[in-house]
Amino acid sequence: MELIFEKSRPGRIATSIPEADVPEVAITDIIDKGLLREDVDLPEVAEVDLIRHYTQLSKRNFGVDVGFYPLGSCTMKYNPKINEEVSRLPGFTSLHPYSPVKFSQGSLQIMYELRQYLSEIFGMADFALQPAAGAQGELTGVMVIKKYFEKKGQKRTKILIPDTAHGTNPASSALCGYSVVTVRSNAEGGVDIGQLRELMTKDVAGLMITNPNTLGLFERNIEQVSEIVHGRGGILYCDGANANAFMGATKPGDLGIDVIQLNLHKTFSTPHGCGGPGSGPVGVRKDLVWYLPVPRVIKKGKRYDWKYEFPDSIGRVKVFYGNFNVMVKAYTYIRSLGPGGLKKASETAVLNANYIKERLRAWYDLPYDRICMHECVFSGKRQVKESGVHTSDIAKRLLDYGYHPPTIYFPLIVPEAIMIEPNETESKETLDAFCDTMIAIAKEAKENPELVKSAPLTTVVRRLDEVKAAREPDVCWGRV
Amino acid sequence: MDYVPHTPEDQKQMTEIIGIKTVDELFADIPEKYKLKGLLDLPHGCSEQEVAALMKGISTRNAVPPITLMGAGAYNHYIPAVVGHVISRSEFYTAYTPYQAEISQGILQAIYEYQTMIARLTGMQVANASMYDGASAMAEAAVLAAKTLSREKIVIVRSVHPEYRQVVGTYAWANGYEVVEIPYGKSGQLDRDALSNAVDDRTAAVLVQTPNFFGVVEDIAAIEHMVHAKGALLVSAFTEATSLGILKPAGEMGADFVVGEGQGFGNPMNYGGPYLGIFASTDKFLRKIPGRLAGATVDKDGKRGFVLTLQTREQHIRRERATSNICSNEALCALAAAVYLVSLGKNLRKLAELNIQKAHYLKCKLSELAGWEGVFTAPVYNEFVIHCPDPKMANRKLEAAGIIGAYDLEKDYPELGNSLLFCATEMLTRGDIDRVVSLVA
């Protein structure tokens, strides 16, 4: 498909600009010529060309509204349309962030109450809504830990991270100056308690776990983990990426979690938007609230206001208050579901994952064979051994059948990993059709491996040369 | 409303296949004493009709102001109708990061085109797929400079947006870097002597904003050598993206990184977010910059296609050795920006000129009032600082008329005395401006 630049014709326009209704002054009388640019090199197309271009592009894109999207650890649940609609109300979209608070009581109410709801769901003392995404939430959480020890006058230089963790965990820790020590998993997929006990020394700030972890397994020894970490004065951090597994079933705060970051774009149904915007709130236990980013919404009587004076705060991680419009959608979702709906969502997400696990267990290797939470992790090892078909081939073959593939090659400790997260908004028919397809591909891998290895055959482009993309980078048109 | 499609019969069949009697059994790994016995203490669930009414009610507790005179990092611009239509296509907004390139060519190509337009506008060779916002993009540039040069001092000008300085401060504290602030001069541009004194061979980066927080256009070409002479890197930032339509790009004047806030390109103010951070650099940093990058390549039949590329820079490969922890971008906001830029095309310059004209008119009119006087002499884009007898009273009068007033500089810049930062975009008519002036007079 042509690039928008290739469709450009000199002199075409898609939008006209109003004529000036104020007395005009020569621009060079206001700004020196030397500070002005010569030309704006942007595409020139008519409005209909623009719309057709982006409509064609949209047809070359796969979203949850197109089909099943069992991408593990990403919680690609249905994005309710009412959430989109209310988020576009002019009261939410058109207000400047520095508007006087008497003009923004609605926005402040949403942020204040959303914090209360999240605190109740996760058993934390309070949340900060400023971080823009899960990774920024993690970074903020680790900053809170750093500040806590700084205030206590303790020098702790390491953070423990299980070998199943998302890559953002070690990267966020490193950005706060911590060195990262990996804790291995035990045979049943949980934290190796013996090794944790050995590694959790006085110079360790804490442990960043993900619970349920990236194998989709609940940390059975969470009590012991908490005792060991807290026993040495450490902080127990939970990556809340997988929070869709336990809403209304248990509270991380009760389990001994001191700091947790969420992903509103996963658990609370706000759309992923091809990779953003998200929102990554951070929740903390009571004595850590003072370290959260500023400003914070407070309530005096019936009136909401901003408060900036928290001298122990880590400061700001983002301009203004966070991705407010994403919060509107998450708030709407919580109000729609209520406590019963949230519990049912998590229960059904877990039911669906276990159902897929049962239906596929005869066809793919299951490295950790126990009840799973909201996702299940298979290995494509058998297919590699039997016919040289890799997990990446299976994923590409799924494209031909109209599915977005699961997460693959993650977690890193499972060879040829296939991580399936079906989530609660998918029907039994959808799950069955997907399982039938996975079984059909397992058969194809045996009987006609070349077919699977040459997939996809039906997409607008076939397998792309990623090595060329990296060796001869072309990230800006016309500059190679 | 819970969006769960299962009928009781579905549930029965599924539990049978799994081999359990009740769904509770699936939560057996949670220690019994930590299982919640009752329901969470939250408001009860609602039907769609009820939640729609609820949210509409809350939205009306916000004002929809007829006139906004506030800039200071978020800007009120007209958004062409095509922008909303394109980003409402659910093939875009309900997709994840484009890991499966064959079924994500739409967003990958759109991002590649976005990167190209941003590179051209900033005068840079490389732009990433976007970051969280202008402030975090600036902080990431500072961290990258420090890591690249193994230096630990960041020099930042006081005329950089106060909240950007705070974000840089937070990231610098976490990494153990020192931040040194240098003053602006009488003209409103940075103090060159102070800059030259502050930059030394420990300095990793100098962070400048243009137009700066006061709306003043900095002369990047005139300071570039002071930064590079000491081996430091120059980060030029902006908060008002539409200024790129008329100002000489910092990339053509020697900046190593151009970062900034892209909200002005087709994204509503949204009470502060979501916005998009723009991040561009010279070729030299291509393999080091943070964030996602879409790149062109070919498929096995030789057909052009796009992928996320150079991922070995990123956290999911490099983990604790990555230069940044960022794992997403603000793709939908970047898509809105791309559609906006295609929609405006060469008219972006005309729009920028209109902003200058409106701000100039407002400034002239206000300056005619007794006791109102412009503070800085250097050229400005669509914002300016004006000294006035009683800034609080002026804003109160505007507020009483339902207008969002100007930014009161007292808290962040007490040294400026009674001063307001006004912004005028194409959204203000001459009638609006005359009304504002008569209200504050």
Side-chain angles (χ1 to χ4, degrees), chain B residues 120-400:
Chain B
R120 289 177 178 187
L121 284 173
T122 55
M124 284 296 189
Q125 288 101 50
V126 181
N128 75 8
S130 76
M131 310 193 76
Y132 304 138
D133 64 6
S136 63
M138 180 187 249
E140 293 262 11
V143 170
L144 175 57
K147 290 195 173 179
T148 303
L149 299 179
S150 299
R151 296 180 177 191
E152 301 202 328
K153 179 174 155 187
I154 313 286
V155 173
I156 191 163
V157 190
R158 189 166 164 73
S159 53
V160 169
H161 192 301
E163 293 192 7
Y164 284 46
R165 281 183 282 139
Q166 290 165 19
V167 173
V168 168
T170 307
Y171 277 70
W173 159 76
N175 280 283
Y177 304 147
E178 177 196 4
V179 180
V180 174
E181 190 174 284
I182 60 160
Y184 50 87
K186 279 203 163 60
S187 70
Q189 290 181 332
L190 64 86
D191 181 331
R192 290 185 201 169
D193 292 337
L195 175 68
S196 144
N197 290 335
V199 181
D200 55 25
D201 54 16
R202 289 174 47 242
T203 307
V206 173
L207 314 184
V208 187
Q209 180 184 325
T210 179
N212 65 26
F213 191 66
F214 308 131
V216 168
V217 181
E218 297 279 1
D219 190 349
I220 298 295
I223 59 160
E224 168 270 321
H225 64 277
M226 298 182 195
V227 179
H228 290 139
K230 301 286 184 185
L233 298 170
L234 179 57
V235 180
S236 178
F238 57 87
T239 59
E240 172 46 303
T242 65
S243 68
L244 298 177
I246 192 152
L247 297 179
K248 189 175 226 178
E252 285 177 17
M253 296 186 285
D256 299 285
F257 299 96
V258 178
V259 296
E261 178 52 65
Q263 174 266 330
F265 290 156
N267 283 270
M269 290 187 289
N270 274 330
Y271 199 60
Y275 296 169
L276 67 145
I278 286 174
F279 191 110
S281 81
T282 55
D283 266 339
K284 205 171 139 191
F285 299 98
L286 172 64
R287 289 174 191 276
K288 292 197 162 161
I289 62 172
R292 298 269 132 106
L293 275 171
T297 183
V298 292
D299 76 356
K300 63 201 261 199
D301 299 334
K303 197 163 151 190
R304 178 169 66 189
F306 303 87
V307 291
L308 288 178
T309 193
L310 301 177
Q311 296 193 58
T312 49
R313 297 164 296 123
E314 296 189 62
Q315 47 75 30
H316 59 284
I317 310 279
R318 287 184 74 83
R319 296 176 81 86
E320 66 269 22
R321 288 173 297 112
T323 47
S324 167
N325 74 331
I326 196 163
C327 142
S328 58
N329 62 345
E330 301 288 281
L332 203 68
C333 301
L335 177 64
V339 176
Y340 180 87
L341 291 172
V342 173
S343 174
L344 264 76
K346 294 211 184 278
N347 268 340
L348 183 64
R349 184 184 174 107
K350 199 172 164 192
L351 177 89
E353 284 179 4
L354 192 55
N355 274 258
I356 293 171
Q357 298 288 1
K358 301 267 183 175
H360 186 71
Y361 179 72
L362 174 62
K363 189 179 173 189
C364 291
K365 283 285 172 187
L366 287 172
S367 302
E368 288 170 10
L369 301 175
W372 290 66
E373 196 187 355
V375 172
F376 298 118
T377 51
V380 297
Y381 178 60
N382 65 0
E383 290 174 278
F384 57 88
V385 177
I386 194 156
H387 189 274
C388 66
D390 189 346
K392 294 203 168 38
M393 177 63 82
N395 269 341
R396 268 201 300 274
K397 285 177 180 167
L398 293 167
E399 208 177 300

Side-chain angles (χ1 to χ4, degrees), chain A residues 15 37 58 109 120 275 316, chain B residues 41 61 89 170 244 329 343:
Chain A
T15 294
R37 71 185 306 148
S58 77
Q109 180 188 343
E120 165 63 13
R316 262 186 185 284
Chain B
D41 183 13
R61 276 171 229 163
R89 288 203 62 103
T170 307
L244 298 177
N329 62 345
S343 174

Side-chain angles (χ1 to χ4, degrees), chain A residues 146 148-158 177-178 201-205:
Chain A
K146 186 179 172 88
Y148 167 77
F149 287 114
E150 208 175 273
K151 287 281 159 192
K152 278 177 90 89
Q154 290 182 18
K155 195 167 166 54
R156 299 196 179 217
T157 54
K158 298 180 202 160
Y178 286 111
T201 47
K202 283 280 183 196
D203 57 348
V204 172

Side-chain angles (χ1 to χ4, degrees), chain A residues 1-4 6 15 19 21 25 30 35-37 39-41 43-44 53 57-58 60-65 69 74 79-81 91 93-96 98-99 102-104 106-109 120 135-136 143 146 150 165 167-168 170 172 174-176 220 223 245 249-250 254 271-277 306 316 318-320 323-325 332 335-337 339 344 348 352 370-371 396 424 426 428 460 462-463 465 469-470 473-475 477 479, chain B residues 1-3 5-6 13-14 26-27 29 33-36 40-41 43 45-46 55 61-63 70-72 74 82 89-97 100-107 109 112-113 115-116 120-121 125 133 161 163 166 170-171 173-175 244-246 248 269-271 273-274 283 287 295-301 303-304 309 315 319-320 325 328-332 343 345-347 349-350 357-358 360 379 399 404 430:
Chain A
M1 190 179 147
E2 272 185 321
L3 295 170
I4 194 74
E6 293 162 339
T15 294
E19 292 303 320
D21 60 353
V25 179
I30 300 174
L35 295 173
L36 300 176
R37 71 185 306 148
D39 181 38
V40 181
D41 190 10
E44 297 172 88
H53 181 72
L57 287 180
S58 77
R60 298 159 78 93
N61 222 52
F62 189 98
V64 171
D65 285 3
Y69 215 123
C74 300
N79 311 125
K81 300 309 160 199
T93 57
S94 54
L95 205 56
H96 191 287
Y98 290 147
S99 297
K102 78 169 188 190
F103 290 168
S104 61
S107 295
L108 270 61
Q109 180 188 343
E120 165 63 13
Q136 205 187 24
M143 285 174 176
K146 186 179 172 88
E150 208 175 273
T168 47
S172 300
L175 269 174
C176 290
R220 282 175 183 160
E223 253 184 308
T250 188
D254 295 351
H272 286 72
C274 288
W306 284 111
R316 262 186 185 284
K318 193 178 183 312
V319 73
F320 309 123
N323 284 345
F324 169 72
N325 201 268
T332 309
R335 294 302 299 261
S336 293
L337 271 71
K344 190 170 162 192
T348 311
N352 285 359
R370 47 181 266 213
I371 292 171
K396 294 303 179 200
E424 74 279 7
E426 301 297 340
K428 179 170 177 293
V460 292
R462 298 190 61 201
R463 281 194 210 193
D465 189 345
D474 171 7
V475 297
W477 187 66
R479 280 200 52 87
Chain B
M1 182 64 207
D2 55 32
Y3 305 101
H6 294 342
Q13 287 179 13
M14 292 171 77
L26 297 176
F27 292 83
D29 283 340
K33 66 177 177 186
Y34 298 120
K35 280 188 190 164
L36 294 183
L40 292 164
D41 183 13
C46 292
M55 297 309 291
R61 276 171 229 163
N62 279 346
M70 188 78 72
V82 289
R89 288 203 62 103
S90 69
E91 298 89 338
F92 286 132
Y93 80 77
T94 70
Y96 196 75
T97 300
Q100 292 293 338
E102 296 88 343
I103 53 167
S104 310
Q105 286 299 295
I107 192 65
Q109 178 173 334
Y112 175 82
E113 292 172 354
Q115 290 170 181
T116 302
R120 289 177 178 187
L121 284 173
Q125 288 101 50
D133 64 6
H161 192 301
E163 293 192 7
Q166 290 165 19
T170 307
Y171 277 70
W173 159 76
N175 280 283
L244 298 177
I246 192 152
K248 189 175 226 178
M269 290 187 289
N270 274 330
Y271 199 60
D283 266 339
R287 289 174 191 276
T297 183
V298 292
D299 76 356
K300 63 201 261 199
D301 299 334
K303 197 163 151 190
R304 178 169 66 189
T309 193
Q315 47 75 30
R319 296 176 81 86
E320 66 269 22
N325 74 331
S328 58
N329 62 345
E330 301 288 281
L332 203 68
S343 174
K346 294 211 184 278
N347 268 340
R349 184 184 174 107
K350 199 172 164 192
Q357 298 288 1
K358 301 267 183 175
H360 186 71
E399 208 177 300
I404 306 288
R430 182 176 184 165

